[in-house]
């Protein structure tokens, strides 16, 4: 049986697949999706302040029969968080909404918000300092970033006391961000892959369908398996119970080298990653 966790650079284990809740509305939709995910065997749940669903995610976790200590829970600081004090308040708010006294992982969501474009290095350093303080106080088991490119990480590392353990980025066979992945690997940072299905577009690609048929798997399972064999940590998202279940059934097969290479050649078949230095949010 394959090891179903990665070890972060601080020694903490993180489940190799997570359940994403981006674009999952607060209320019953988010609540039911997370309940189904936990029933299906996910033990890693990813949310964020901007998703607006932390309360429902937290309620679903509390109402499940799963011990909180078995669940790896992530949230993130949004782009309106600019200072050390902003970050302390945001951390307290996420913990309150999720009704937990700690998070397993907390991330800076984007490195260069439009509102601080001329001053992003200072903003990230201040927010990271608050995150480090919360980490040292035991409020976080691990800390990291999302959508950071090498120059953002280089700037952060100039003042950081603690190196990020995770970088969560837009990543799939269609958009492989090879340079960024190499940077993460070099620095011992786990690469989490959000939108591992290319926001769903890869499911309609003939090559993916053909490979799926060969293994008796779904196109989604093939795309998720590609991420795992690359050493990434995929975060598939769904609100459909059958897909939620299927998307974690990816540890009982392995894609051949030829099929991995065929998937690698799909670069550019879906919408590319957002440039964090050109966002309008």
């Amino acid at each position: 049986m394959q090891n179903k966790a990665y070890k972060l650079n601080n020694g903490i284990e993180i489940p190799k697949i997570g359940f994403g809740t981006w674009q999952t509305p607060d209320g019953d939709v988010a609540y039911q999706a997370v309940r189904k995910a936990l029933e299906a065997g996910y033990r890693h749940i990813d949310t964020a302040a901007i998703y607006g669903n932390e309360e429902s995610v937290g309620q679903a976790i509390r109402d499940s029969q799963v011990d909180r200590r078995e669940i790896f829970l992530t949230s993130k600081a949004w782009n309106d968080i600019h200072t050390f004090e902003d970050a302390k308040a945001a951390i307290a708010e996420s913990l309150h909404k999720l009704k937990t006294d700690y998070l397993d992982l907390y991330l800076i969501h984007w490195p260069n918000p439009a509102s601080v474009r001329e001053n992003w290095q200072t903003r990230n350093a201040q927010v990271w300092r608050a995150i480090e303080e919360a980490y040292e106080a035991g409020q976080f088991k691990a800390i990291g970033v999302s959508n950071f490119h090498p120059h953002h990480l280089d700037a952060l590392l100039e003042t950081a006391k603690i190196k990020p353990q995770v970088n969560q980025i837009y990543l799939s066979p269609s958009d492989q961000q090879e340079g960024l992945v190499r940077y993460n690997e070099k620095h011992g940072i786990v690469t989490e892959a959000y939108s591992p299905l290319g926001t769903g577009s890869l499911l309609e690609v003939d090559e993916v369908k053909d490979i799926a048929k060969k293994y008796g798997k779904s196109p989604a399972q093939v795309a998720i398996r590609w991420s795992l064999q690359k050493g990434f940590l995929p975060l598939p998202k769904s609100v459909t119970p059958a897909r939620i279940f299927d998307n974690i059934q990816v540890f009982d097969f392995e894609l051949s080298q030829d099929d991995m290479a065929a998937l690698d050649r799909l670069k550019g078949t879906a919408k590319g990653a957002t440039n964090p230095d050109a966002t309008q949010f």
Side-chain angles (χ1 to χ4, degrees):
M1 181 140 141
Q2 300 181 47
N3 176 17
K4 294 184 182 178
Y6 293 119
K7 190 164 277 193
L8 300 177
N9 64 34
N10 65 347
I12 293 291
E13 287 200 338
I14 182 171
K16 278 187 177 180
I17 186 167
F19 183 71
T21 64
W22 178 38
Q23 297 177 326
T24 304
D26 198 32
D28 194 56
V29 176
Y31 176 85
Q32 294 296 342
V34 173
R35 286 296 302 271
K36 290 293 180 191
L38 292 169
E39 288 170 17
Y42 294 83
R43 291 296 179 265
H44 177 176
I45 308 294
D46 182 272
T47 185
I50 194 62
Y51 299 171
N53 59 21
E54 286 175 313
E55 288 169 311
S56 299
V57 168
Q59 188 69 49
I61 288 170
R62 288 192 304 282
D63 289 351
S64 75
Q65 298 302 304
V66 182
D67 189 317
R68 169 68 184 90
R69 291 167 296 184
E70 291 182 24
I71 297 170
F72 195 99
L73 179 59
T74 301
S75 195
K76 312 177 190 79
W78 184 240
N79 293 2
D80 56 352
I81 306 307
H82 298 159
T83 67
F84 176 81
E85 292 301 329
D86 285 349
K88 285 181 73 170
I91 289 163
E93 185 175 1
S94 282
L95 290 169
H96 174 72
K97 285 183 172 177
L98 287 157
K99 289 192 169 48
T100 183
D101 55 4
Y102 75 97
L103 289 170
D104 299 274
L105 179 63
Y106 193 75
L107 311 175
I108 301 179
H109 207 149
W110 286 88
N112 193 352
S115 53
V116 291
R117 187 117 303 158
E118 304 305 313
N119 205 24
W120 60 266
Q121 297 97 327
T122 302
R123 177 261 184 174
N124 289 341
Q126 287 210 21
V127 173
W128 190 251
R129 185 161 62 90
I131 292 172
E132 287 178 328
E133 187 178 274
Y135 174 82
E136 288 170 340
Q139 289 179 300
F140 304 143
K141 302 287 187 190
I143 56 179
V145 296
S146 182
N147 300 296
F148 274 52
H149 284 190
H151 62 284
H152 304 125
L153 285 158
D154 284 340
L156 187 69
L157 291 170
E158 286 178 17
T159 56
K161 289 191 296 177
I162 300 165
K163 183 165 65 170
Q165 279 108 34
V166 165
N167 188 8
Q168 184 180 125
I169 61 174
Y170 184 90
L171 191 61
S172 76
S174 175
D175 199 321
Q176 298 175 32
Q177 302 211 61
E178 292 102 324
L180 179 48
V181 166
R182 281 195 298 274
Y183 182 102
N184 291 342
E185 288 172 351
K186 180 182 173 186
H187 288 84
I189 298 169
V190 165
T191 299
E192 285 192 344
Y194 75 83
S195 296
L197 314 180
T199 57
S201 59
L202 283 169
L203 309 185
E204 301 306 318
V205 174
D206 287 341
E207 290 92 334
V208 180
K209 289 180 180 176
D210 290 344
I211 292 170
K213 199 177 293 182
K214 186 195 300 187
Y215 291 90
K217 292 290 183 179
S218 70
Q221 289 168 323
V222 165
I224 292 164
R225 185 69 212 173
W226 175 90
S227 263
L228 290 168
Q229 287 182 218
K230 289 281 186 178
F232 309 148
L233 196 162
L235 299 166
K237 170 253 172 185
S238 180
V239 296
T240 307
R243 288 181 186 153
I244 290 170
F245 178 81
D246 284 350
N247 288 347
I248 201 171
Q249 307 306 311
V250 289
F251 293 97
D252 58 351
F253 76 109
E254 188 162 318
L255 297 168
S256 70
Q257 285 187 338
D258 286 348
D259 289 329
M260 287 292 288
L263 292 167
D264 284 343
R265 290 193 291 272
L266 295 179
K267 230 184 302 188
T269 52
K271 179 182 82 70
T274 299
N275 177 358
D277 294 318
T279 58
Q280 297 305 306
F281 51 82

